[in-house]
Amino acid sequence: ETSMRDNNTSCFNYRKVAGTKTVSKHGRGMAIDINPLNNPCVKVASGRVQPATGKQFVNRSKAFAHKIDKTDLCYKLFIKHGFRWGGAWRSTKDYQHFEK
């Protein structure tokens, strides 16, 4: 939470998927989170936002600096190189997240 609040981009972080024994994509070096404050993770059903201070960036129709969307160069480059974007997921919108 603290690192996300500081808007730190992060990649390798050895950890397991919460509640499992499976090593996460970040733990295998196959995922990256970019500008997490400006591109928060939103749990659709509960409305929970991570980082909590990212609530001001949940409305993706607004224009603001460092926003990742389908028109953004960051999005286009990661997709071009075979990554999947968390902003396209259904039950969770993880706008900061790209994974292979």
PDB file of all heavy atoms in Angstrom, residues 11-18 20-33 97 99-100:
ATOM      1  N   CYS A  11       7.992  -4.364 -10.371  1.00  0.00           N
ATOM      2  CA  CYS A  11       7.928  -5.573 -11.184  1.00  0.00           C
ATOM      3  C   CYS A  11       8.166  -6.797 -10.313  1.00  0.00           C
ATOM      4  O   CYS A  11       7.257  -7.283  -9.689  1.00  0.00           O
ATOM      5  CB  CYS A  11       8.939  -5.503 -12.322  1.00  0.00           C
ATOM      6  SG  CYS A  11       8.816  -6.898 -13.452  1.00  0.00           S
ATOM      7  N   PHE A  12       9.424  -7.248 -10.223  1.00  0.00           N
ATOM      8  CA  PHE A  12       9.709  -8.462  -9.476  1.00  0.00           C
ATOM      9  C   PHE A  12       9.479  -8.246  -7.989  1.00  0.00           C
ATOM     10  O   PHE A  12      10.012  -7.332  -7.382  1.00  0.00           O
ATOM     11  CB  PHE A  12      11.153  -8.931  -9.695  1.00  0.00           C
ATOM     12  CG  PHE A  12      11.458 -10.182  -8.943  1.00  0.00           C
ATOM     13  CD1 PHE A  12      10.985 -11.402  -9.396  1.00  0.00           C
ATOM     14  CD2 PHE A  12      12.170 -10.140  -7.763  1.00  0.00           C
ATOM     15  CE1 PHE A  12      11.237 -12.565  -8.693  1.00  0.00           C
ATOM     16  CE2 PHE A  12      12.435 -11.303  -7.049  1.00  0.00           C
ATOM     17  CZ  PHE A  12      11.963 -12.511  -7.522  1.00  0.00           C
ATOM     18  N   ASN A  13       8.637  -9.098  -7.440  1.00  0.00           N
ATOM     19  CA  ASN A  13       8.325  -9.075  -6.015  1.00  0.00           C
ATOM     20  C   ASN A  13       7.940 -10.507  -5.659  1.00  0.00           C
ATOM     21  O   ASN A  13       6.824 -10.931  -5.937  1.00  0.00           O
ATOM     22  CB  ASN A  13       7.169  -8.112  -5.740  1.00  0.00           C
ATOM     23  CG  ASN A  13       6.772  -8.078  -4.283  1.00  0.00           C
ATOM     24  OD1 ASN A  13       7.399  -8.691  -3.432  1.00  0.00           O
ATOM     25  ND2 ASN A  13       5.703  -7.375  -3.995  1.00  0.00           N
ATOM     26  N   TYR A  14       8.882 -11.252  -5.074  1.00  0.00           N
ATOM     27  CA  TYR A  14       8.592 -12.656  -4.785  1.00  0.00           C
ATOM     28  C   TYR A  14       7.506 -12.748  -3.724  1.00  0.00           C
ATOM     29  O   TYR A  14       7.696 -12.336  -2.575  1.00  0.00           O
ATOM     30  CB  TYR A  14       9.839 -13.423  -4.330  1.00  0.00           C
ATOM     31  CG  TYR A  14       9.530 -14.885  -4.191  1.00  0.00           C
ATOM     32  CD1 TYR A  14       9.520 -15.694  -5.311  1.00  0.00           C
ATOM     33  CD2 TYR A  14       9.186 -15.429  -2.970  1.00  0.00           C
ATOM     34  CE1 TYR A  14       9.189 -17.036  -5.217  1.00  0.00           C
ATOM     35  CE2 TYR A  14       8.858 -16.773  -2.861  1.00  0.00           C
ATOM     36  CZ  TYR A  14       8.851 -17.571  -3.986  1.00  0.00           C
ATOM     37  OH  TYR A  14       8.513 -18.891  -3.887  1.00  0.00           O
ATOM     38  N   ARG A  15       6.356 -13.260  -4.160  1.00  0.00           N
ATOM     39  CA  ARG A  15       5.231 -13.441  -3.246  1.00  0.00           C
ATOM     40  C   ARG A  15       4.274 -14.458  -3.836  1.00  0.00           C
ATOM     41  O   ARG A  15       4.327 -14.769  -5.023  1.00  0.00           O
ATOM     42  CB  ARG A  15       4.504 -12.119  -3.008  1.00  0.00           C
ATOM     43  CG  ARG A  15       3.920 -11.512  -4.253  1.00  0.00           C
ATOM     44  CD  ARG A  15       3.305 -10.142  -3.966  1.00  0.00           C
ATOM     45  NE  ARG A  15       3.079  -9.422  -5.197  1.00  0.00           N
ATOM     46  CZ  ARG A  15       1.895  -9.036  -5.630  1.00  0.00           C
ATOM     47  NH1 ARG A  15       0.812  -9.310  -4.961  1.00  0.00           N
ATOM     48  NH2 ARG A  15       1.787  -8.373  -6.753  1.00  0.00           N
ATOM     49  N   LYS A  16       3.402 -14.952  -2.983  1.00  0.00           N
ATOM     50  CA  LYS A  16       2.384 -15.902  -3.422  1.00  0.00           C
ATOM     51  C   LYS A  16       1.073 -15.164  -3.627  1.00  0.00           C
ATOM     52  O   LYS A  16       0.826 -14.113  -3.036  1.00  0.00           O
ATOM     53  CB  LYS A  16       2.241 -17.024  -2.405  1.00  0.00           C
ATOM     54  CG  LYS A  16       3.511 -17.844  -2.310  1.00  0.00           C
ATOM     55  CD  LYS A  16       3.392 -19.004  -1.388  1.00  0.00           C
ATOM     56  CE  LYS A  16       4.724 -19.763  -1.436  1.00  0.00           C
ATOM     57  NZ  LYS A  16       4.866 -20.702  -0.373  1.00  0.00           N
ATOM     58  N   VAL A  17       0.228 -15.727  -4.480  1.00  0.00           N
ATOM     59  CA  VAL A  17      -1.108 -15.176  -4.675  1.00  0.00           C
ATOM     60  C   VAL A  17      -1.830 -15.289  -3.344  1.00  0.00           C
ATOM     61  O   VAL A  17      -1.789 -16.348  -2.685  1.00  0.00           O
ATOM     62  CB  VAL A  17      -1.861 -15.952  -5.783  1.00  0.00           C
ATOM     63  CG1 VAL A  17      -3.280 -15.458  -5.918  1.00  0.00           C
ATOM     64  CG2 VAL A  17      -1.112 -15.851  -7.106  1.00  0.00           C
ATOM     65  N   ALA A  18      -2.472 -14.222  -2.909  1.00  0.00           N
ATOM     66  CA  ALA A  18      -3.150 -14.199  -1.603  1.00  0.00           C
ATOM     67  C   ALA A  18      -4.060 -15.408  -1.427  1.00  0.00           C
ATOM     68  O   ALA A  18      -4.866 -15.728  -2.298  1.00  0.00           O
ATOM     69  CB  ALA A  18      -3.955 -12.911  -1.463  1.00  0.00           C
ATOM     70  N   THR A  20      -3.213 -18.557  -1.407  1.00  0.00           N
ATOM     71  CA  THR A  20      -2.807 -19.767  -2.126  1.00  0.00           C
ATOM     72  C   THR A  20      -1.338 -20.076  -1.855  1.00  0.00           C
ATOM     73  O   THR A  20      -0.636 -19.309  -1.197  1.00  0.00           O
ATOM     74  CB  THR A  20      -2.988 -19.595  -3.657  1.00  0.00           C
ATOM     75  OG1 THR A  20      -1.946 -18.749  -4.149  1.00  0.00           O
ATOM     76  CG2 THR A  20      -4.350 -19.026  -4.012  1.00  0.00           C
ATOM     77  N   LYS A  21      -0.885 -21.186  -2.417  1.00  0.00           N
ATOM     78  CA  LYS A  21       0.529 -21.547  -2.359  1.00  0.00           C
ATOM     79  C   LYS A  21       1.220 -21.289  -3.699  1.00  0.00           C
ATOM     80  O   LYS A  21       2.373 -21.624  -3.890  1.00  0.00           O
ATOM     81  CB  LYS A  21       0.674 -23.027  -1.983  1.00  0.00           C
ATOM     82  CG  LYS A  21       0.189 -23.325  -0.575  1.00  0.00           C
ATOM     83  CD  LYS A  21       0.367 -24.776  -0.233  1.00  0.00           C
ATOM     84  CE  LYS A  21      -0.120 -25.026   1.194  1.00  0.00           C
ATOM     85  NZ  LYS A  21       0.071 -26.411   1.593  1.00  0.00           N
ATOM     86  N   THR A  22       0.493 -20.659  -4.618  1.00  0.00           N
ATOM     87  CA  THR A  22       0.989 -20.392  -5.964  1.00  0.00           C
ATOM     88  C   THR A  22       1.796 -19.100  -5.997  1.00  0.00           C
ATOM     89  O   THR A  22       1.341 -18.067  -5.504  1.00  0.00           O
ATOM     90  CB  THR A  22      -0.199 -20.266  -6.949  1.00  0.00           C
ATOM     91  OG1 THR A  22      -1.003 -21.443  -6.867  1.00  0.00           O
ATOM     92  CG2 THR A  22       0.280 -20.060  -8.374  1.00  0.00           C
ATOM     93  N   VAL A  23       2.985 -19.152  -6.577  1.00  0.00           N
ATOM     94  CA  VAL A  23       3.808 -17.951  -6.736  1.00  0.00           C
ATOM     95  C   VAL A  23       3.132 -17.052  -7.772  1.00  0.00           C
ATOM     96  O   VAL A  23       2.722 -17.509  -8.837  1.00  0.00           O
ATOM     97  CB  VAL A  23       5.246 -18.309  -7.165  1.00  0.00           C
ATOM     98  CG1 VAL A  23       6.073 -17.056  -7.411  1.00  0.00           C
ATOM     99  CG2 VAL A  23       5.910 -19.183  -6.113  1.00  0.00           C
ATOM    100  N   SER A  24       3.018 -15.774  -7.449  1.00  0.00           N
ATOM    101  CA  SER A  24       2.334 -14.825  -8.335  1.00  0.00           C
ATOM    102  C   SER A  24       3.148 -14.542  -9.591  1.00  0.00           C
ATOM    103  O   SER A  24       4.331 -14.853  -9.667  1.00  0.00           O
ATOM    104  CB  SER A  24       2.083 -13.510  -7.595  1.00  0.00           C
ATOM    105  OG  SER A  24       3.289 -12.782  -7.496  1.00  0.00           O
ATOM    106  N   LYS A  25       2.499 -13.909 -10.576  1.00  0.00           N
ATOM    107  CA  LYS A  25       3.211 -13.490 -11.798  1.00  0.00           C
ATOM    108  C   LYS A  25       4.329 -12.505 -11.447  1.00  0.00           C
ATOM    109  O   LYS A  25       5.385 -12.527 -12.056  1.00  0.00           O
ATOM    110  CB  LYS A  25       2.242 -12.840 -12.786  1.00  0.00           C
ATOM    111  CG  LYS A  25       1.188 -13.780 -13.312  1.00  0.00           C
ATOM    112  CD  LYS A  25       1.587 -14.322 -14.645  1.00  0.00           C
ATOM    113  CE  LYS A  25       0.446 -15.156 -15.204  1.00  0.00           C
ATOM    114  NZ  LYS A  25       0.706 -15.591 -16.551  1.00  0.00           N
ATOM    115  N   HIS A  26       4.107 -11.650 -10.444  1.00  0.00           N
ATOM    116  CA  HIS A  26       5.168 -10.741 -10.001  1.00  0.00           C
ATOM    117  C   HIS A  26       6.326 -11.539  -9.408  1.00  0.00           C
ATOM    118  O   HIS A  26       7.492 -11.195  -9.607  1.00  0.00           O
ATOM    119  CB  HIS A  26       4.652  -9.748  -8.956  1.00  0.00           C
ATOM    120  CG  HIS A  26       3.777  -8.690  -9.527  1.00  0.00           C
ATOM    121  ND1 HIS A  26       4.263  -7.603 -10.220  1.00  0.00           N
ATOM    122  CD2 HIS A  26       2.432  -8.550  -9.503  1.00  0.00           C
ATOM    123  CE1 HIS A  26       3.258  -6.835 -10.598  1.00  0.00           C
ATOM    124  NE2 HIS A  26       2.134  -7.389 -10.184  1.00  0.00           N
ATOM    125  N   GLY A  27       6.015 -12.597  -8.685  1.00  0.00           N
ATOM    126  CA  GLY A  27       7.029 -13.438  -8.073  1.00  0.00           C
ATOM    127  C   GLY A  27       7.845 -14.219  -9.078  1.00  0.00           C
ATOM    128  O   GLY A  27       8.931 -14.694  -8.771  1.00  0.00           O
ATOM    129  N   ARG A  28       7.312 -14.363 -10.291  1.00  0.00           N
ATOM    130  CA  ARG A  28       8.031 -15.048 -11.368  1.00  0.00           C
ATOM    131  C   ARG A  28       8.616 -14.057 -12.371  1.00  0.00           C
ATOM    132  O   ARG A  28       9.134 -14.455 -13.402  1.00  0.00           O
ATOM    133  CB  ARG A  28       7.100 -16.034 -12.071  1.00  0.00           C
ATOM    134  CG  ARG A  28       6.734 -17.198 -11.151  1.00  0.00           C
ATOM    135  CD  ARG A  28       5.925 -18.257 -11.849  1.00  0.00           C
ATOM    136  NE  ARG A  28       4.524 -17.816 -11.905  1.00  0.00           N
ATOM    137  CZ  ARG A  28       3.693 -18.078 -12.897  1.00  0.00           C
ATOM    138  NH1 ARG A  28       4.094 -18.751 -13.947  1.00  0.00           N
ATOM    139  NH2 ARG A  28       2.458 -17.654 -12.851  1.00  0.00           N
ATOM    140  N   GLY A  29       8.501 -12.755 -12.071  1.00  0.00           N
ATOM    141  CA  GLY A  29       9.048 -11.733 -12.961  1.00  0.00           C
ATOM    142  C   GLY A  29       8.292 -11.594 -14.262  1.00  0.00           C
ATOM    143  O   GLY A  29       8.838 -11.166 -15.267  1.00  0.00           O
ATOM    144  N   MET A  30       7.004 -11.946 -14.253  1.00  0.00           N
ATOM    145  CA  MET A  30       6.191 -11.903 -15.468  1.00  0.00           C
ATOM    146  C   MET A  30       5.077 -10.866 -15.403  1.00  0.00           C
ATOM    147  O   MET A  30       4.129 -10.921 -16.181  1.00  0.00           O
ATOM    148  CB  MET A  30       5.611 -13.285 -15.739  1.00  0.00           C
ATOM    149  CG  MET A  30       6.707 -14.329 -15.960  1.00  0.00           C
ATOM    150  SD  MET A  30       6.076 -15.948 -16.330  1.00  0.00           S
ATOM    151  CE  MET A  30       5.465 -15.671 -17.968  1.00  0.00           C
ATOM    152  N   ALA A  31       5.177  -9.919 -14.470  1.00  0.00           N
ATOM    153  CA  ALA A  31       4.164  -8.873 -14.341  1.00  0.00           C
ATOM    154  C   ALA A  31       4.819  -7.590 -13.870  1.00  0.00           C
ATOM    155  O   ALA A  31       5.854  -7.611 -13.207  1.00  0.00           O
ATOM    156  CB  ALA A  31       3.076  -9.308 -13.359  1.00  0.00           C
ATOM    157  N   ILE A  32       4.185  -6.492 -14.228  1.00  0.00           N
ATOM    158  CA  ILE A  32       4.667  -5.176 -13.817  1.00  0.00           C
ATOM    159  C   ILE A  32       3.463  -4.297 -13.496  1.00  0.00           C
ATOM    160  O   ILE A  32       2.412  -4.409 -14.137  1.00  0.00           O
ATOM    161  CB  ILE A  32       5.544  -4.535 -14.913  1.00  0.00           C
ATOM    162  CG1 ILE A  32       6.169  -3.237 -14.416  1.00  0.00           C
ATOM    163  CG2 ILE A  32       4.778  -4.359 -16.215  1.00  0.00           C
ATOM    164  CD1 ILE A  32       7.257  -2.687 -15.326  1.00  0.00           C
ATOM    165  N   ASP A  33       3.589  -3.474 -12.471  1.00  0.00           N
ATOM    166  CA  ASP A  33       2.565  -2.492 -12.103  1.00  0.00           C
ATOM    167  C   ASP A  33       3.153  -1.108 -12.363  1.00  0.00           C
ATOM    168  O   ASP A  33       4.213  -0.776 -11.847  1.00  0.00           O
ATOM    169  CB  ASP A  33       2.176  -2.623 -10.631  1.00  0.00           C
ATOM    170  CG  ASP A  33       1.416  -3.903 -10.340  1.00  0.00           C
ATOM    171  OD1 ASP A  33       0.865  -4.497 -11.281  1.00  0.00           O
ATOM    172  OD2 ASP A  33       1.375  -4.304  -9.169  1.00  0.00           O
ATOM    173  N   HIS A  97      -1.626  -2.880 -14.009  1.00  0.00           N
ATOM    174  CA  HIS A  97      -1.026  -4.216 -14.160  1.00  0.00           C
ATOM    175  C   HIS A  97      -0.947  -4.705 -15.606  1.00  0.00           C
ATOM    176  O   HIS A  97      -1.928  -4.699 -16.338  1.00  0.00           O
ATOM    177  CB  HIS A  97      -1.880  -5.199 -13.342  1.00  0.00           C
ATOM    178  CG  HIS A  97      -1.353  -6.582 -13.284  1.00  0.00           C
ATOM    179  ND1 HIS A  97      -0.435  -6.989 -12.348  1.00  0.00           N
ATOM    180  CD2 HIS A  97      -1.631  -7.670 -14.046  1.00  0.00           C
ATOM    181  CE1 HIS A  97      -0.174  -8.279 -12.537  1.00  0.00           C
ATOM    182  NE2 HIS A  97      -0.886  -8.700 -13.561  1.00  0.00           N
ATOM    183  N   GLU A  99       0.776  -8.281 -17.580  1.00  0.00           N
ATOM    184  CA  GLU A  99       1.385  -9.587 -17.313  1.00  0.00           C
ATOM    185  C   GLU A  99       1.470 -10.404 -18.576  1.00  0.00           C
ATOM    186  O   GLU A  99       0.735 -10.197 -19.531  1.00  0.00           O
ATOM    187  CB  GLU A  99       0.604 -10.357 -16.253  1.00  0.00           C
ATOM    188  CG  GLU A  99      -0.768 -10.793 -16.683  1.00  0.00           C
ATOM    189  CD  GLU A  99      -1.489 -11.611 -15.631  1.00  0.00           C
ATOM    190  OE1 GLU A  99      -1.365 -11.315 -14.437  1.00  0.00           O
ATOM    191  OE2 GLU A  99      -2.190 -12.553 -16.028  1.00  0.00           O
ATOM    192  N   LYS A 100       2.393 -11.359 -18.545  1.00  0.00           N
ATOM    193  CA  LYS A 100       2.550 -12.328 -19.635  1.00  0.00           C
ATOM    194  C   LYS A 100       2.213 -13.693 -19.138  1.00  0.00           C
ATOM    195  O   LYS A 100       2.393 -14.018 -18.004  1.00  0.00           O
ATOM    196  CB  LYS A 100       3.982 -12.318 -20.164  1.00  0.00           C
ATOM    197  CG  LYS A 100       4.081 -11.595 -21.465  1.00  0.00           C
ATOM    198  CD  LYS A 100       5.415 -11.835 -22.103  1.00  0.00           C
ATOM    199  CE  LYS A 100       5.375 -11.187 -23.452  1.00  0.00           C
ATOM    200  NZ  LYS A 100       6.548 -11.367 -24.226  1.00  0.00           N
TER     201      LYS A 100
END
